Amino acid sequence: MNSDLITVIVPVYNTEKYLNRCVRSICAQTYSNIEIILVDDGSPDGAGALCDRLSQEDRRIRVIHKVNGGLSSARNAGLDCACGNFVCFVDSDDYIEKDYVQTLYGLMRQYQSDIVKIDY
């Protein structure tokens, strides 16, 4: 396994209904050297509490709770505490295929690129 740590940042706001599926899809990645940062952006639903519960299930998950500041503010808060060599963003109402991180990492290495972008 490669030693590059990849940080996956998930801004969370009012997505309690989707968050479990999102986080489980990240935890199930074939590239397992990841840290997952859930940024609760002052969500008024139960998403913040769900973030805390999910972090107790997987040591790779860290949670930041902050006052609502919007998507960019939440992403920046995640970046401020990211430890990975590379960063990936996933929206909290989405889920990813199990080889998502591995594929992006492989393409980045193959083409020696600094950024990998995908369409939806």
Side-chain angles (χ1 to χ4, degrees), residues 13-58:
Y13 184 81
N14 221 18
T15 54
E16 178 183 16
K17 179 172 145 180
Y18 309 103
L19 186 60
N20 189 54
R21 184 175 187 186
C22 172
V23 173
R24 300 237 182 263
S25 75
I26 298 168
C27 291
Q29 290 299 293
T30 57
Y31 189 97
S32 60
N33 194 18
I34 60 174
E35 70 171 343
I36 303 162
I37 301 176
L38 304 178
V39 183
D40 170 28
D41 192 29
S43 189
D45 64 359
L50 179 55
C51 287
D52 292 333
R53 283 194 304 276
L54 291 167
S55 73
Q56 293 174 354
E57 296 175 13
D58 193 312

Side-chain angles (χ1 to χ4, degrees), residues 36-118:
I36 303 162
I37 301 176
L38 304 178
V39 183
D40 170 28
D41 192 29
S43 189
D45 64 359
L50 179 55
C51 287
D52 292 333
R53 283 194 304 276
L54 291 167
S55 73
Q56 293 174 354
E57 296 175 13
D58 193 312
R59 63 174 178 74
R60 299 174 297 174
I61 300 173
R62 289 189 290 149
V63 179
I64 298 170
H65 295 280
K66 62 181 280 313
V67 175
N68 180 256
L71 181 61
S72 294
S73 172
R75 285 181 174 170
N76 287 335
L79 285 171
D80 286 343
C81 68
C83 296
N85 304 86
F86 303 100
V87 175
C88 175
F89 295 104
V90 175
D91 291 339
S92 59
D93 60 348
D94 289 337
Y95 60 93
I96 55 178
E97 295 295 326
K98 66 182 179 179
D99 62 345
Y100 179 80
V101 173
Q102 181 68 53
T103 298
L104 293 178
Y105 181 76
L107 289 169
M108 184 202 63
R109 287 295 188 205
Q110 179 182 349
Y111 294 104
Q112 299 177 357
S113 38
D114 295 325
I115 297 173
V116 179
K117 177 191 174 295
I118 62 162

